[in-house]
Amino acid sequence: MLKLFEYGKIGECAWRDELPNGLRLCVVPKPGYRKKMAFFAANYGGADRKFMLSEDWIETPAGVAHFLEHKMFDVEGGENALTTLSSRGASANAFTASNMTAYHFECTDMFYENLELLLKFVSTPYFTKDSVEKEQGIISQEIKMVEDEPDYAVYYGLIRNLYDSNPVRDPVAGSVESIRLIDPDLLYNCHRVFYTPSNMVLVAVGDIDPVKIRDLAFKILPEYNLPPARRDYGDAGGEYPNQLHFEKEMEVGAPIFLAGAKTKAGLSGDDMLRFELTASLALSVLMGRGSPLYNRMYSEGLVNDTFYYDFESTAGVSFLSFGGESQNPEQVCLRVLDEAERLVTSGVEQKFFARRQRSAYGHEIRGLNSFDNICYNVTVAGFNRYDYFKTVDVLESITAEDVRRFLAKYLRPELLAISTVRCARGEKDV
Amino acid sequence: MQRVYNKQIMRGVNLTCVKAEKFKTGCLSMTLITQLDKKTAAMNAMLPSVLRRGTARLPDMESIAAELDDMYGVRIEPALRKKGELQCIGFYADFPDDAFLPDGRNILEKTADLMGEMLLQPATSGGRLKAEYVDSERENLISDIKAEINDKRTYASMRLTEMMFKGERYGISRLGSLHDAEKITVHSLTRHYRELISSSIIQVFYCGAAEPEYVEQVIRGALATLPRVETYNMPTTELLTEEWTEPVKYLTEKMDVTQGKLVMGYRLGEAMRRPNHAALMVFNAVFGGAVTSKLFMNVRERLSLCYYASSGVDRLKGIMRVSSGIEFSKYNEALSEIERQLESVKNGEILPIEMEGAKKAVITAIYSALDEPGGLESLYLDESILGLSGDPSDLVPMVSEVTMEQVAKIADCAKLDSVYFLTGEDDNA
């Protein structure tokens, strides 16, 4: 039964249902908007490499989830769902992360026809030897393209510093070598195991009818309710990083870095939401735009406006990170650790904490403007069994002491690993 | 539907207000519209960042940040855009609407006042902008200019523009040149700032739930001390309308990359004499702007020659760029295939799905932009530069009526000017 949940404080509401086949559905009404969006995602990403397939554990090469995403758009008869959606004016796309594969479109016209097609093509695998071989060429190009991006290099440098065996170490798209091992049989198997409705979430946002959407999902998706496959991410390797440093030279204008530390993993439900919000708030108090530390480092030219921090929780791991361009990344790390120690020792001043909390509140409200953001967050919340629209309530309940404890636990010198991309040619004149 | 209010509220200050209640946030921007010029480009590029560092009342970033936090994390960010031969500089802010905050009051007014302060009452020392801020933002600008090389796709496109318009205004980067950035002093920047603030046309944009009359009053208050002169003229962009007959220029550069970047620049010539904006948008979507386009369907999907291939038209200048990521060895093949696809558009070999897909993609893009405060801001800034005053959705019926002949005619006018290739191999093409 579709059920309406109302969140008066933030001016939102959501219709939710769980179908007999296990699909979780959420429709977020947005009156007054012409644009409409649908987002259909499987709890299956680049890190889901080892899983149980009829009684046996099997290991798959890096890049299968992403490869599957590319091939799902093929429809029997030589048609391509992306072309059909585009020819109707919808702007459709898909992405694969380490913990999800998502297919989505945005349109202003023919929403239900587009939704029908989305549900159909994502639930109907169709692969041939030829089409798989051709895709190997296209994806090899995509892999090469990202390899030229310094941000990508610095990110995977950090991940490999932090973890020594977890599958998040390998790029989601795999490598030119690993994707050669992919064939139609493997794709069919992975689709069967992970694209089962009970392992998926459907979110729709816009001025749309929840009943029509539920009925379409009921009509088109398979009836069976199979439990999702068991999977194994291996060992996250304790609290210490695998190694402390990674360095690479690339053609960049200024050195860039990313430093980070492992945090508590394996949470779900409200505990996970609370931990993530505490982490973000702690990092914002420590080094956000409104923090004394950021402003001092900026004034001194130690960092510039590319400086950022992040907290990521995915596929059995979770870690904090911060980075950007800097001539002296080691110095930035030292300053961050010093400031953390100061806050831990002397406590986080209540007035300052309250300001940062207000700022975070505004940030969450702002996020409700973006259909992409709503779809993505409702999906993550669906996979992890918490309610995204309760974010501001949880946020308000976090205290300065929670933040202090987070900093004490995770911002310690022995936990911090750093990844740096330095300039290959030194100074370059433009 | 949205109500739009357009009014000159002070000499050289135009306010565009879109009243919309569906958004969770409001947005406000103040933009100085200046001529892109080699002498001033670097100074303009860094000015908003210097002004953002401190005001007379809030002398450093930390005190500004504290005030913004108190206003529920309002963001006021320096904005720098190149539009044709104009350099648009100023601030862009977005803020949660009062209705969704526990004790939200007058966030718009506070934001406008603070933005006005940044523009008009910067932190000074001895009557000049603070040396500390100028020095540090100059270093930031220099590192931004050096970092243009980081994103190879954008870098290749920038190199192409420099090639096509060497020594001309349009060839100037929105950040200015390294050489000019290094020469900026406290003295030169302060003088330039004073000149600019009194002589520039200022475009103010607001989108949100507030009544336009109230917004006008708020903006007048925020800009009360703005110095103004007698008359204002909108700076102009030279639109290229002549048929291009020069030989094609080629440049290949080597860098340590694993994927080649091929960028081609076309002049649209006669198609820009009495430009039909709807037809230009459809043409671009047919050729390389949409997923149903010739470039995407053929160069990428059918022939697997590249990972991406797309086109973009700058209607303020009258040029088109084609951008593609390819294997080094596919240079000749990709280049001639892109040319062949343009030829087929020119010959009117356009499938119904290509034509319809293009039109629908253009219409969706227009409507979607109207559903985003940032999209609206950019559309209305373009309109004020082009001297248009209609609702952007007025274009929709015109898009529907674009004919295949109009699209083919634009393709016929497009003449290849330059080809730039960024490769990782020594021996190429």
Side-chain angles (χ1 to χ4, degrees):
Chain A
M1 264 286 279
L2 273 166
K3 212 174 140 200
L4 181 65
F5 294 77
E6 292 185 81
Y7 310 91
K9 186 150 75 176
I10 54 171
E12 295 291 339
C13 62
W15 290 95
R16 292 202 175 87
D17 197 1
E18 187 166 328
L19 301 191
N21 60 14
L23 176 83
R24 273 156 295 155
L25 168 72
C26 179
V27 178
V28 182
K30 284 278 184 184
Y33 280 82
R34 196 186 286 259
K35 156 175 100 168
K36 300 159 182 70
M37 182 167 183
F39 190 96
F40 190 27
N43 187 349
Y44 173 49
D48 295 305
R49 302 250 302 275
K50 185 176 176 189
F51 54 88
M52 190 80 107
L53 180 69
S54 29
E55 314 282 294
D56 298 314
W57 283 102
I58 69 161
E59 288 227 38
T60 54
V64 178
H66 174 258
F67 204 101
L68 192 56
E69 170 222 308
H70 271 234
K71 288 326 294 164
M72 285 316 297
F73 285 95
D74 289 356
V75 177
E76 193 163 3
E79 298 261 313
N80 180 291
L82 184 64
T83 311
T84 312
L85 286 167
S86 305
S87 69
R88 296 175 184 167
S91 155
N93 214 333
F95 69 85
T96 308
S98 52
N99 59 349
M100 80 158 77
T101 311
Y103 302 81
H104 53 95
F105 69 83
E106 194 181 292
C107 68
T108 54
D109 190 25
M110 298 178 77
F111 175 77
Y112 301 100
E113 289 88 339
N114 291 334
L115 178 64
E116 185 166 355
L117 177 57
L118 175 76
L119 294 167
K120 256 187 199 147
F121 85 77
V122 175
S123 58
T124 318
Y126 172 70
F127 317 114
T128 64
K129 199 161 166 288
D130 282 353
S131 74
V132 168
E133 271 169 20
K134 194 181 145 196
E135 204 65 32
Q136 279 158 343
I138 292 174
I139 295 179
S140 296
Q141 280 295 313
E142 185 177 342
I143 291 169
K144 286 185 190 171
M145 182 166 74
V146 294
E147 281 174 356
D148 285 338
E149 290 170 12
D151 290 339
Y152 169 92
V154 87
Y155 177 81
Y156 279 102
L158 176 65
I159 297 277
R160 289 180 172 225
N161 278 343
L162 293 179
Y163 303 99
D164 85 284
S165 65
N166 191 284
V168 291
R169 281 170 57 88
D170 295 312
V172 169
S175 64
V176 172
E177 295 73 34
S178 76
I179 63 167
R180 282 204 199 106
L181 304 169
I182 294 173
D183 60 30
D185 272 354
L186 181 58
L187 295 177
Y188 278 115
N189 277 333
C190 291
H191 185 274
R192 195 177 70 227
V193 169
F194 290 109
Y195 283 54
T196 172
S198 66
N199 196 41
M200 301 186 78
V201 167
L202 173 64
V203 188
V205 185
D207 203 347
I208 41 184
D209 178 1
V211 176
K212 262 176 116 167
I213 294 168
R214 198 255 330 261
D215 291 350
L216 269 177
F218 187 77
K219 186 181 96 182
I220 293 163
L221 298 179
E223 282 174 26
Y224 59 79
N225 186 342
L226 291 177
R230 280 177 61 200
R231 47 198 104 179
D232 180 5
Y233 300 120
D235 186 6
E239 66 176 321
Y240 294 101
N242 169 41
Q243 57 179 37
L244 291 175
H245 295 279
F246 166 86
E247 233 181 84
K248 183 178 179 172
E249 288 198 344
M250 289 178 89
E251 299 210 18
V252 290
I256 61 169
F257 81 100
L258 190 65
K262 291 196 251 189
T263 56
K264 185 154 72 180
L267 295 172
S268 69
D270 290 350
D271 293 342
M272 178 175 178
L273 177 61
R274 191 176 174 81
F275 186 71
E276 295 204 348
L277 290 170
T278 306
S280 298
L281 198 50
L283 296 173
S284 147
V285 162
L286 176 62
M287 58 187 147
R289 288 291 190 264
S291 69
L293 175 67
Y294 170 77
N295 287 291
R296 278 200 306 270
M297 292 197 298
Y298 185 98
S299 299
E300 292 167 29
L302 196 52
V303 298
N304 58 25
D305 63 5
T306 62
F307 185 77
Y308 69 100
Y309 62 81
D310 197 14
F311 174 79
E312 198 177 330
S313 180
T314 181
V317 301
S318 118
F319 56 95
L320 63 88
S321 62
F322 57 91
E325 288 171 17
S326 175
Q327 295 297 333
N328 194 344
E330 290 77 15
Q331 185 61 27
V332 177
C333 291
L334 287 176
R335 297 283 288 275
V336 166
L337 290 168
D338 280 354
E339 178 70 359
E341 198 187 331
R342 189 187 70 80
L343 289 168
V344 169
T345 318
S346 60
V348 180
E349 198 224 337
Q350 184 53 40
K351 227 176 117 191
F352 173 62
F353 173 77
R355 279 209 320 256
R356 296 269 70 198
Q357 200 172 22
R358 277 162 85 96
S359 175
Y361 193 105
H363 175 80
E364 292 301 331
I365 297 293
R366 183 186 283 127
L368 298 171
N369 253 1
S370 156
F371 286 23
D372 290 300
N373 174 66
I374 291 175
C375 286
Y376 177 80
N377 282 303
V378 168
T379 301
V380 171
F383 290 159
N384 294 291
R385 307 279 175 182
Y386 63 82
D387 185 349
Y388 166 62
F389 293 112
K390 293 212 170 122
T391 301
V392 294
D393 300 310
V394 177
L395 184 62
E396 281 182 312
S397 75
I398 293 169
T399 65
E401 179 54 22
D402 293 337
V403 158
R404 195 194 68 83
R405 262 190 252 127
F406 180 90
L407 296 176
K409 188 151 188 202
Y410 301 112
L411 266 293
R412 290 174 8 222
E414 65 274 23
L415 300 184
L416 197 67
I418 177 167
S419 160
T420 313
V421 169
R422 301 203 185 272
C423 311
R425 286 185 192 163
E427 293 283 292
K428 183 181 185 299
D429 282 326
V430 177
Chain B
M1 195 48 209
Q2 291 153 159
R3 192 149 64 83
V4 183
Y5 176 90
N6 219 320
K7 188 174 173 187
Q8 186 178 324
I9 57 166
M10 297 165 72
R11 263 198 307 242
V13 179
N14 186 60
L15 170 67
T16 302
C17 232
V18 178
K19 177 157 166 64
E21 277 161 20
K22 63 189 175 193
F23 300 124
K24 287 275 163 3
T25 62
C27 89
L28 175 72
S29 71
M30 297 184 183
T31 308
L32 278 62
I33 298 178
T34 74
Q35 191 80 61
L36 183 60
D37 188 283
K38 188 180 173 330
K39 287 200 291 290
T40 54
M43 283 198 284
N44 285 339
M46 72 180 276
L47 190 56
S49 303
V50 172
L51 300 179
R52 178 69 178 70
R53 292 294 295 271
T55 70
R57 181 175 66 91
L58 303 168
D60 52 41
M61 280 171 49
E62 203 177 327
S63 50
I64 292 175
E67 181 138 323
L68 293 173
D69 274 0
D70 270 336
M71 293 149 69
Y72 285 92
V74 172
R75 281 187 302 206
I76 302 183
E77 296 295 333
L80 169 64
R81 285 171 279 191
K82 174 176 165 181
K83 299 257 183 191
E85 290 169 8
L86 310 183
Q87 199 181 13
C88 302
I89 64 168
F91 296 102
Y92 179 94
D94 65 353
F95 38 89
D97 191 280
D98 288 353
F100 307 109
L101 297 174
D103 58 349
R105 275 189 303 274
N106 303 330
I107 300 270
L108 165 62
E109 188 176 355
K110 290 176 188 161
T111 305
D113 285 348
L114 182 49
M115 199 184 273
E117 261 180 78
M118 287 174 183
L119 271 181
L120 304 172
Q121 283 100 38
T124 53
S125 150
R128 289 180 186 166
L129 295 168
K130 275 191 149 178
E132 183 198 341
Y133 295 166
V134 174
D135 290 343
S136 103
E137 292 307 329
R138 184 181 49 237
E139 288 315 303
N140 284 338
L141 175 63
I142 288 169
S143 89
D144 284 351
I145 292 171
K146 287 181 178 167
E148 283 179 327
I149 195 175
N150 291 13
D151 180 345
K152 305 299 184 272
R153 190 169 171 173
T154 319
Y155 176 75
S157 177
M158 189 182 88
R159 294 289 290 142
L160 174 86
T161 310
E162 286 172 357
M163 241 179 114
M164 287 175 77
F165 298 96
K166 204 171 163 60
E168 295 178 46
R169 276 198 173 130
Y170 193 74
I172 300 166
S173 153
R174 81 194 170 96
L175 297 177
S177 73
L178 190 61
H179 180 71
D180 293 320
E182 281 168 342
K183 287 192 311 200
I184 297 170
T185 63
V186 174
H187 184 69
S188 66
L189 191 67
T190 304
R191 206 176 45 195
H192 180 63
Y193 160 69
R194 296 209 193 291
E195 155 73 17
L196 207 60
I197 205 75
S198 62
S199 69
S200 298
I201 289 194
I202 299 182
Q203 173 68 31
V204 180
F205 178 85
Y206 167 78
C207 167
E211 292 297 332
E213 294 73 18
Y214 170 70
V215 179
E216 179 180 341
Q217 178 200 326
V218 164
I219 302 300
R220 279 179 188 276
L223 296 179
T225 62
L226 177 71
R228 295 281 80 184
V229 294
E230 275 307 310
T231 54
Y232 290 88
N233 296 311
M234 182 63 96
T236 53
T237 291
E238 186 207 4
L239 190 59
L240 302 168
T241 57
E242 294 305 310
E243 189 181 344
W244 187 248
T245 52
E246 300 290 314
V248 180
K249 301 183 281 275
Y250 294 90
L251 176 63
T252 295
E253 290 185 321
K254 190 184 170 294
M255 210 184 264
D256 183 17
V257 290
T258 50
Q259 187 188 69
K261 306 288 173 198
L262 170 64
V263 201
M264 300 158 73
Y266 291 84
R267 298 187 184 231
L268 299 176
E270 283 172 274
M272 299 308 295
R273 277 194 195 154
R274 306 179 85 194
N276 175 333
H277 294 301
L280 277 168
M281 289 162 97
V282 175
F283 157 73
N284 183 54
V286 164
F287 176 53
V291 176
T292 49
S293 70
K294 296 274 184 197
L295 292 184
F296 190 92
M297 293 298 288
N298 296 294
V299 186
R300 179 186 138 124
E301 291 294 304
R302 186 170 56 82
L303 299 166
S304 301
L305 276 173
C306 62
Y307 178 63
Y308 67 87
S310 63
S311 64
V313 166
D314 185 344
R315 61 176 176 167
L316 294 169
K317 187 63 186 171
I319 61 155
M320 172 174 73
R321 296 183 187 86
V322 172
S323 172
S324 164
I326 58 172
E327 271 181 47
F328 308 132
S329 61
K330 299 272 175 70
Y331 172 80
N332 285 317
E333 219 180 320
L335 183 62
S336 53
E337 189 55 37
I338 291 166
E339 284 275 85
R340 182 157 37 240
Q341 293 304 325
L342 184 63
E343 191 71 19
S344 75
V345 179
K346 181 172 125 183
N347 296 334
E349 295 155 13
I350 305 170
L351 302 170
I353 184 180
E354 291 169 337
M355 192 67 185
E356 285 315 305
K359 285 184 179 181
K360 285 182 174 152
V362 169
I363 291 170
T364 304
I366 295 171
Y367 281 142
S368 295
L370 299 179
D371 275 346
E372 280 161 31
L376 280 164
E377 196 262 355
S378 181
L379 279 177
Y380 279 102
L381 182 60
D382 279 4
E383 288 221 334
S384 65
I385 288 169
L386 285 164
L388 305 172
S389 61
D391 188 310
S393 64
D394 293 347
L395 266 176
V396 169
M398 296 189 247
V399 168
S400 307
E401 283 161 21
V402 171
T403 64
M404 203 164 319
E405 289 68 35
Q406 286 173 306
V407 169
K409 176 78 183 114
I410 294 171
D412 190 31
C413 295
K415 296 289 181 294
L416 186 59
D417 174 304
S418 297
V419 177
Y420 175 84
F421 187 47
L422 186 64
T423 179
E425 282 180 347
D426 278 319
D427 181 22
N428 206 282

